[in-house]
Amino acid sequence: RYEQTKGELELLSAYDGVLLIGDQAIKAYAALLPEVPETPHALPTRFGEVEVADLSTLWFQRTHLPFVFAVLAYRKENPPPKPLVQALRRARREGLARLGEVARGEAERLGVHPTLMEHYLWNFRYHLEEPDRLGLKAFAEALGLPFAPVFYLE
């Protein structure tokens, strides 16, 4: 049985599991960590009786494809204005060039260790390449949805 309710890890006293997303998930995970390891490969997933599973990791283990969290989608006959596409590309380029600074700012905002935020942000793929497109296709197929992209604004 699935139920939407407010709360975080304290809900484990009443439920078998909880799904936390985004900032809420990062803060809850950070609260479990006794220390932040130097490498993201050493981040623990078990904390006593609490097991933490990253859904993108589970997806990759199942499909051997990356999970795509966001895309800019549009109808072929109504593409976004070129200045918008250029601004998005510039923002990606500048953000990647300052990823450490971005991580520190987000860590401060969330009240978590900056290294944890760097681990989190480095894990993302910031270009929609063939593995990502195949991941999107596999996800659509898993949901029984049609998938027929014809053009990408990389």
Side-chain angles (χ1 to χ4, degrees), residues 67-80:
F67 188 83
V68 176
F69 289 92
V71 295
L72 170 63
Y74 60 91
R75 296 184 182 275
K76 184 178 180 181
E77 66 274 4
N78 190 23

Side-chain angles (χ1 to χ4, degrees), residues 55-145:
L55 295 179
S56 66
T57 299
L58 295 176
W59 174 258
F60 185 81
Q61 289 170 347
R62 178 179 173 181
T63 65
H64 302 288
L65 295 167
F67 188 83
V68 176
F69 289 92
V71 295
L72 170 63
Y74 60 91
R75 296 184 182 275
K76 184 178 180 181
E77 66 274 4
N78 190 23
K82 189 173 183 175
L84 173 62
V85 174
Q86 291 170 332
L88 290 170
R89 287 179 178 153
R90 186 172 49 255
R92 175 183 59 195
R93 190 174 52 251
E94 291 173 6
L96 286 171
R98 299 174 32 218
L99 202 55
E101 181 183 335
V102 171
R104 286 187 297 279
E106 285 301 293
E108 184 176 326
R109 182 180 70 81
L110 294 176
V112 302
H113 196 283
T115 302
L116 178 61
M117 205 69 224
E118 283 184 18
H119 292 341
Y120 176 74
L121 293 174
W122 275 112
N123 192 43
F124 282 100
R125 296 170 54 90
Y126 293 92
H127 293 82
L128 191 64
E129 297 171 340
E130 190 59 21
D132 309 290
R133 294 176 185 131
L134 291 171
L136 278 172
K137 183 174 190 251
F139 188 72
E141 289 172 354
L143 295 176
L145 299 172

Side-chain angles (χ1 to χ4, degrees), residues 1 4 19 29 37 43 47 56 63 67 95 118 121-122 138 143 145 150-151 154:
R1 189 176 107 219
Q4 185 174 351
L19 173 64
Y29 182 77
L43 286 167
F47 303 89
S56 66
T63 65
F67 188 83
E118 283 184 18
L121 293 174
W122 275 112
L143 295 176
L145 299 172
V150 292
F151 182 70
E154 187 56 37

